[in-house]
Amino acid sequence: GAVVSQHPSWVICKSGTSVKIECRSLDFQATTMFWYRQFPKQSLMLMATSNEGSKATYEQGVEKDKFLINHASLTLSTLTVTSAHPEDSSFYICSAEDRQNSPLHFGNGTRLTVT
Amino acid sequence: SQQGEEDPQALSIQEGENATMNCSYKTSINNLQWYRQNSGRGLVHLILIRSNEREKHSGRLRVTLDTSKKSSSLLITASRAADTASYFCATDQGGNNRLAFGKGNQVVVIP
């Protein structure tokens, strides 16, 4: 089956630094990937839609300069949390579709802790 | 984006029993999907039901959709300890996978 690999699985960083999270589709090409964040015991909130070769589409309330998304190839999207602060600590998850409008395949998430 | 919302349930059941979860949403949808999440992990797609469907089965899973009430239910029959997880519904309003997730139901199946 289709596999999405997310790296790193966890990261601890100091306040003010930037962190890059990678999302790779291992055995399929994904023109569209999605990024979410999830707080403990809460639901997933869609942050942005990442489109290969074009700018990401951000959901209302998500700062695009804070959460930089790059989808440079059909198998890789990256999310960079810039100048991270403790309130950015969360579980970040990506997903990808292998065919348009087909069910999504999710990565295993990245636990970000900002100290 | 709209929000699917499950009834705030934390189910604790014995192995072999059935588990039922509900989900309500607020706007029209193209489809509704159910996902499962093990603790600290990503989501696994379980089943998708389209707006013109009323019921769907997949193995031990049964999903219903009532668009007039804007609600869906997920039934897991003959539960197993391995079914212990959180279950989320997600609505797709435009048929483009921009999903709005519900709050989730935590299910614990006791062996």
Side-chain angles (χ1 to χ4, degrees), chain B residues 36-48:
Chain B
R36 162 201 169 121
Q37 182 181 35
N38 287 84
S39 181
R41 308 277 289 187
L43 276 69
V44 175
H45 178 262
L46 296 177
I47 196 165
L48 179 152

Side-chain angles (χ1 to χ4, degrees), chain A residues 48-68:
Chain A
T49 303
S50 173
N51 301 294
E52 186 269 336
S54 65
K55 291 183 179 180
T57 303
Y58 290 82
E59 296 298 312
Q60 191 173 8
V62 178
E63 300 175 60
K64 58 183 178 183
D65 294 331
K66 172 76 171 176
F67 299 100
L68 299 178

Side-chain angles (χ1 to χ4, degrees), chain B residues 70-90:
Chain B
K70 292 186 168 59
S71 67
S72 174
S73 69
L74 171 67
L75 168 67
I76 304 173
T77 61
S79 64
R80 305 167 181 169
D83 294 330
T84 295
S86 292
Y87 293 84
F88 294 89
C89 77

Side-chain angles (χ1 to χ4, degrees), chain B residues 18-92:
Chain B
N18 296 340
T20 300
M21 288 151 272
N22 297 302
C23 168
S24 61
Y25 56 92
K26 296 177 180 175
T27 68
S28 61
I29 60 171
N30 177 280
N31 65 75
L32 184 145
Q33 304 175 35
W34 284 91
Y35 287 84
R36 162 201 169 121
Q37 182 181 35
N38 287 84
S39 181
R41 308 277 289 187
L43 276 69
V44 175
H45 178 262
L46 296 177
I47 196 165
L48 179 152
I49 186 165
R50 301 192 187 284
S51 60
N52 61 352
E53 297 176 309
R54 293 296 168 260
E55 186 172 314
K56 205 162 183 179
H57 297 253
S58 177
R60 294 184 295 113
L61 304 179
R62 173 177 170 259
V63 169
T64 64
L65 179 65
D66 187 335
T67 52
S68 66
K69 295 181 180 178
K70 292 186 168 59
S71 67
S72 174
S73 69
L74 171 67
L75 168 67
I76 304 173
T77 61
S79 64
R80 305 167 181 169
D83 294 330
T84 295
S86 292
Y87 293 84
F88 294 89
C89 77
T91 51
D92 186 346

Side-chain angles (χ1 to χ4, degrees), chain A residues 34 36 38 41-46 49 59 91 93 97 99-104 106-109 111, chain B residues 1 3 33 35 37 40-45 48 50 88 92 95-104 106:
Chain A
F34 301 89
Y36 315 82
Q38 183 181 30
K41 298 190 185 301
Q42 293 192 27
S43 186
L44 279 74
M45 295 294 295
L46 177 64
T49 303
E59 296 298 312
F91 192 55
I93 308 175
E97 57 180 22
R99 296 184 311 281
Q100 192 172 17
N101 300 329
S102 63
L104 297 172
F106 282 78
N108 277 328
R111 174 78 56 196
Chain B
S1 57
Q3 288 292 312
Q33 304 175 35
Y35 287 84
Q37 182 181 35
R41 308 277 289 187
L43 276 69
V44 175
H45 178 262
L48 179 152
R50 301 192 187 284
F88 294 89
D92 186 346
N96 54 10
N97 269 329
R98 282 181 62 241
L99 301 180
F101 284 84
K103 295 186 177 70
Q106 186 167 4

Side-chain angles (χ1 to χ4, degrees), chain A:
Chain A
V3 177
V4 173
S5 174
Q6 193 171 335
H7 179 81
S9 56
W10 60 270
V11 57
I12 301 173
C13 71
K14 292 185 177 180
S15 189
T17 61
S18 295
V19 174
K20 180 184 285 188
I21 302 169
E22 294 186 347
C23 181
R24 293 181 185 272
S25 56
L26 295 187
D27 48 3
F28 66 98
Q29 294 183 333
T31 55
T32 303
M33 293 183 174
F34 301 89
W35 287 95
Y36 315 82
R37 67 186 296 180
Q38 183 181 30
F39 291 105
K41 298 190 185 301
Q42 293 192 27
S43 186
L44 279 74
M45 295 294 295
L46 177 64
M47 298 174 67
T49 303
S50 173
N51 301 294
E52 186 269 336
S54 65
K55 291 183 179 180
T57 303
Y58 290 82
E59 296 298 312
Q60 191 173 8
V62 178
E63 300 175 60
K64 58 183 178 183
D65 294 331
K66 172 76 171 176
F67 299 100
L68 299 178
I69 292 173
N70 185 284
H71 194 154
S73 77
L74 286 171
T75 59
L76 174 64
S77 175
T78 60
L79 168 68
T80 301
V81 183
T82 62
S83 187
H85 291 282
E87 57 266 31
D88 299 323
S89 298
S90 189
F91 192 55
Y92 292 87
I93 308 175
C94 71
S95 71
E97 57 180 22
D98 56 358
R99 296 184 311 281
Q100 192 172 17
N101 300 329
S102 63
L104 297 172
H105 306 283
F106 282 78
N108 277 328
T110 297
R111 174 78 56 196
L112 171 63
T113 302
V114 185
T115 62

